[in-house]
């Protein structure tokens, strides 16, 4: 029997090899191995197995992301192509230096229209003011002609002069000779002071209706008090409404009794539905901004007929394009219909006037049954810097937020003269933070505020 030394290398738990002696017996090699020094690395195996599973999960996630990215790639490429195509004309204009030329061409078109309007007004009135306007337009034409050949720096000044002259022409066309004599308060000039609230009442619809309009029937020559006090709540999302509630007298209104409801649209998305806190009751008709449009609607309480007119201007703001803001924006308050001693007005903003307030005069023709816009003025007051506005004696007053319990009348624009005053400081006390609407009533010289579900009234003093 031959003794052989057999080296059997096995790995122990400490990573070392084990040497074992063997004995040749019957053509076999027999050896004894101490298995207690050898163990399977279970912990390491499980760690490696977990890493393998983690890698598989990461690979699957990356594959899914790659699949999604591949699907989105054509969409992204289409967007890039579209943007490139849209930027093409602007790049061409930039390279060719045509921005100034196009702006001057637009100025020339506006001036030509102004020359026509001044000529018509001068032929009708032929007074000192129209003669002065004619001379100023001639001077402006000379200036524009000079700009087309040389001076491009003063274009902003020319635009401002053009706006000023256009407003003067509108004033000449629209203001009757006895305008200031129509109401003795209007002869006194601007509002001198505003009282503390003389009426404070919670909306009969409840405090949850935070947006809407209210007031007293505003047509001065209307003796019929059938529809005296009214409220128009915005029932849907504080934006849209379909109903009007009226009371025959102040006592019924304060007691919230003996009312009558009118429904002027079958749903909030109907074309005749009201959008935004814009309404005013004038005579026997409710005037307001029509659903998702640049139109003013007239709802006749006697016949239930709705007529409309589209407001003039380039890019008239509606559907929350140019709402009243200042501190918080009042949703969809783009178009505001007002009434005063001289009639009906629409206050809004346009892209053409750079988001600044525009004032248009509205006239209802009872014979032809049509609602018309007769004149338009452009202001320099940015609408989103205003919390609300109202009309008194042909003068637009604008307000701004002061604090939770106060608003301030800070600006006035007189359509009779085209002049503005931004030095006013008339405080309005309130009971809640937000102002949905403000409107003036010429029959009692009161200003009505819809104050987040509260109804407030103030006395204006001249």
């Amino acid at each position: 029997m031959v003794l052989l030394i057999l080296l059997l290398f096995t790995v122990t738990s400490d990573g070392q090899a084990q040497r074992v002696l063997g004995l040749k017996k019957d053509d076999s090699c027999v050896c004894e191995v101490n298995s207690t020094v050898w163990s399977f690395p279970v912990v390491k195996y499980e760690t490696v197995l977990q890493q393998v599973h983690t890698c598989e999960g990461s690979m699957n996630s990356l594959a899914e992301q790659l699949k999604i990215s591949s699907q989105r790639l054509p969409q992204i490429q289409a967007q890039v192509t579209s943007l490139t195509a849209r930027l093409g004309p602007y790049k061409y204009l930039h390279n060719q230096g045509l921005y100034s030329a196009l702006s001057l061409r637009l100025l020339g078109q506006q001036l030509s229209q102004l020359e026509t309007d001044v000529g018509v007004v001068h032929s009708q009135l032929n007074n000192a003011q129209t003669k002065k306007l004619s001379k100023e337009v001639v001077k402006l034409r000379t200036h524009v002609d000079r700009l087309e050949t040389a001076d491009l720096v003063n274009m902003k000044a020319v635009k401002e002069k053009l706006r000023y002259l256009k407003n003067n022409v509108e004033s000449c066309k629209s203001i009757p000779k006895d305008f200031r004599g129509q109401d003795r308060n209007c002869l006194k000039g601007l509002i001198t002071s505003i009282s503390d609230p003389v009426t404070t009442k919670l909306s009969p619809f409840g405090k949850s209706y935070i947006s809407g309009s209210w007031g007293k029937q505003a047509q001065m020559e209307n003796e019929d008090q059938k529809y005296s006090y009214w409220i128009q709540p915005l029932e849907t999302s504080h934006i849209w409404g379909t109903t009007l509630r009226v009371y025959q007298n102040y006592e019924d209104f304060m007691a919230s009794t003996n009312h009558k409801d009118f429904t002027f649209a079958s749903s909030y998305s109907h074309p005749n539905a009201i959008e935004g806190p814009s309404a005013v009751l004038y005579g026997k008709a409710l005037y307001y901004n029509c659903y998702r449009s640049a139109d003013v609607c007239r709802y006749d309480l006697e016949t239930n007929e709705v007529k409309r007119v589209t407001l003039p201007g380039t890019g008239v703001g509606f559907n929350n394009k140019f709402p009243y803001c200042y501190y918080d924006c009042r949703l969809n308050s783009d178009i505001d219909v007002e009434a005063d001693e001289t009639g009906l007005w629409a206050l809004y903003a346009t892209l053409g006037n750079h988001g600044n307030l525009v004032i248009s005069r509205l006239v209802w023709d009872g014979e032809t049954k049509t609602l018309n816009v007769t004149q338009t003025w452009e202001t320099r007051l940015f609408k989103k810097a205003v919390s609300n506005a109202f009309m008194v004696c042909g003068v637009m007053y604008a307000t701004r937020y002061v604090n939770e319990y106060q608003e301030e009348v800070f600006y006035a624009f007189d359509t009779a003269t085209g002049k503005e005053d931004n030095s006013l400081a008339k405080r309005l006390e309130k009971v809640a933070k937000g102002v949905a609407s403000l409107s003036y009533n010429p029959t009692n010289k009161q200003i009505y505020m819809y104050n987040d579900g509260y109804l407030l009234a103030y006395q204006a003093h001249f």
Side-chain angles (χ1 to χ4, degrees):
M1 182 165 34
V2 180
L3 181 63
L4 297 177
I5 296 176
L6 175 65
L7 293 178
L8 176 64
F9 293 94
T10 61
V11 180
T12 63
S13 60
D14 60 357
Q16 300 296 321
Q18 180 184 10
R19 189 177 64 174
V20 180
L21 294 177
L23 180 65
K24 183 177 180 183
K25 184 178 180 180
D26 300 331
D27 296 328
S28 298
C29 179
V30 180
C31 62
E32 293 182 0
V33 178
N34 183 4
S35 61
T36 60
V37 299
W38 180 86
S39 63
F40 186 77
V42 177
V43 176
K44 289 186 178 181
Y45 173 77
E46 290 178 346
T47 301
V48 173
L49 185 63
Q50 181 62 38
Q51 291 177 348
V52 171
H53 289 163
T54 301
C55 288
E56 288 180 350
S58 298
M59 289 297 294
N60 291 336
S61 177
L62 287 173
E64 183 65 24
Q65 292 178 14
L66 181 61
K67 180 181 178 181
I68 294 174
S69 299
S70 299
Q71 293 173 347
R72 291 188 57 194
L73 186 59
Q75 299 175 1
I76 297 173
Q77 289 175 336
Q79 291 176 355
V80 171
T81 302
S82 175
L83 287 172
T84 302
R86 289 165 59 188
L87 286 173
Y90 297 98
K91 183 177 180 182
Y92 173 78
L93 291 175
H94 176 74
N95 294 336
Q96 298 297 320
L98 293 179
Y99 281 123
S100 297
L102 288 176
S103 300
L104 280 172
R105 183 178 177 185
L106 179 59
L107 269 180
Q109 292 173 348
Q110 293 175 344
L111 182 56
S112 297
Q113 182 61 49
L114 181 61
E115 288 172 331
T116 301
D117 292 343
V118 170
V120 172
V121 172
H122 183 57
S123 64
Q124 294 174 346
L125 301 179
N126 194 18
N127 56 28
Q129 187 176 6
T130 59
K131 289 179 181 178
K132 181 181 177 182
L133 280 174
S134 298
K135 291 180 180 179
E136 289 183 344
V137 169
V138 171
K139 288 173 59 178
L140 190 60
R141 168 58 71 185
T142 303
H143 198 170
V144 170
D145 291 342
R146 190 185 306 123
L147 285 175
E148 291 179 346
T149 58
D151 187 5
L152 301 177
V153 178
N154 294 324
M155 192 181 303
K156 184 177 181 180
V158 173
K159 287 183 177 179
E160 178 56 29
K161 184 67 174 179
L162 182 61
R163 184 193 67 83
Y164 173 75
L165 290 175
K166 284 168 64 178
N167 285 341
N168 280 348
V169 172
E170 296 297 323
S171 298
C172 286
K173 287 193 299 183
S174 63
I175 304 302
K177 294 181 180 179
D178 62 343
F179 168 73
R180 291 302 186 190
Q182 289 181 350
D183 187 276
R184 61 185 182 87
N185 289 300
C186 294
L187 289 171
K188 299 177 182 179
L190 299 179
I191 293 175
T192 57
S193 64
I194 300 173
S195 74
D196 289 338
V198 295
T199 299
T200 303
K201 172 182 167 57
L202 185 65
S203 168
F205 292 91
K207 189 178 179 181
S208 61
Y209 289 84
I210 63 172
S211 202
S213 310
W214 84 283
K216 184 178 183 292
Q217 189 285 120
Q219 190 172 16
M220 295 186 68
E221 65 273 17
N222 192 310
E223 301 296 333
D224 186 2
Q225 294 302 310
K226 186 177 181 180
Y227 312 118
S228 182
Y229 286 84
W230 61 276
I231 179 171
Q232 197 290 303
L234 299 179
E235 309 104 319
T236 305
S237 303
H238 309 304
I239 298 175
W240 300 287
T242 60
T243 61
L244 169 71
R245 177 168 293 183
V246 298
Y247 300 86
Q248 189 167 348
N249 54 56
Y250 182 74
E251 290 72 22
D252 287 345
F253 166 72
M254 291 301 294
S256 298
T257 59
N258 301 325
H259 64 266
K260 182 177 181 180
D261 290 339
F262 293 85
T263 301
F264 45 85
S266 57
S267 69
Y268 80 88
S269 58
H270 190 278
N272 292 340
I274 186 172
E275 178 161 329
S278 63
V280 64
L281 183 63
Y282 192 76
K284 298 178 181 180
L286 183 73
Y287 295 81
Y288 57 91
N289 178 211
C290 319
Y291 175 79
R292 289 197 173 174
S293 71
D295 295 352
V296 171
C297 278
R298 179 189 186 273
Y299 169 69
D300 193 309
L301 275 64
E302 299 290 328
T303 65
N304 294 322
E305 289 183 325
V306 176
K307 300 290 184 179
R308 63 175 63 211
V309 64
T310 300
L311 294 172
T314 302
V316 174
F318 65 92
N319 195 24
N320 216 37
K321 179 72 173 180
F322 292 119
Y324 286 129
C325 286
Y326 196 81
Y327 186 80
D328 283 331
C329 289
R330 179 61 57 166
L331 292 176
N332 296 66
S333 57
D334 302 73
I335 297 173
D336 186 8
V337 185
E338 298 288 338
D340 68 358
E341 290 81 357
T342 67
L344 289 163
W345 305 86
L347 311 179
Y348 56 101
T350 66
L351 290 173
N353 196 34
H354 314 293
N356 296 327
L357 270 162
V358 175
I359 308 169
S360 283
R361 195 174 186 185
L362 305 172
V363 174
W364 169 251
D365 190 328
E367 293 184 1
T368 62
K369 304 297 181 184
T370 57
L371 183 60
N372 305 294
V373 177
T374 57
Q375 289 83 33
T376 298
W377 293 259
E378 295 180 345
T379 76
R380 294 183 297 179
L381 182 63
F382 189 54
K383 189 170 185 292
K384 285 189 174 182
V386 172
S387 61
N388 227 284
F390 57 95
M391 297 293 299
V392 180
C393 296
V395 178
M396 184 196 74
Y397 293 87
T399 63
R400 61 188 171 194
Y401 176 90
V402 177
N403 56 49
E404 188 172 350
Y405 301 107
Q406 287 185 325
E407 296 282 309
E408 181 179 67
V409 178
F410 74 100
Y411 174 92
F413 180 92
D414 191 345
T415 59
T417 62
K419 296 181 180 180
E420 58 187 353
D421 185 344
N422 56 11
S423 63
L424 304 183
K426 314 297 180 186
R427 293 294 175 95
L428 287 166
E429 301 295 327
K430 55 185 182 178
V431 297
K433 182 179 179 181
V435 176
S437 65
L438 274 175
S439 61
Y440 168 78
N441 191 292
T443 67
N444 58 7
K445 317 304 177 190
Q446 289 190 358
I447 300 169
Y448 295 96
M449 176 190 290
Y450 197 108
N451 184 204
D452 278 350
Y454 292 94
L455 312 180
L456 279 63
Y458 312 81
Q459 192 66 50
H461 301 287
F462 297 85

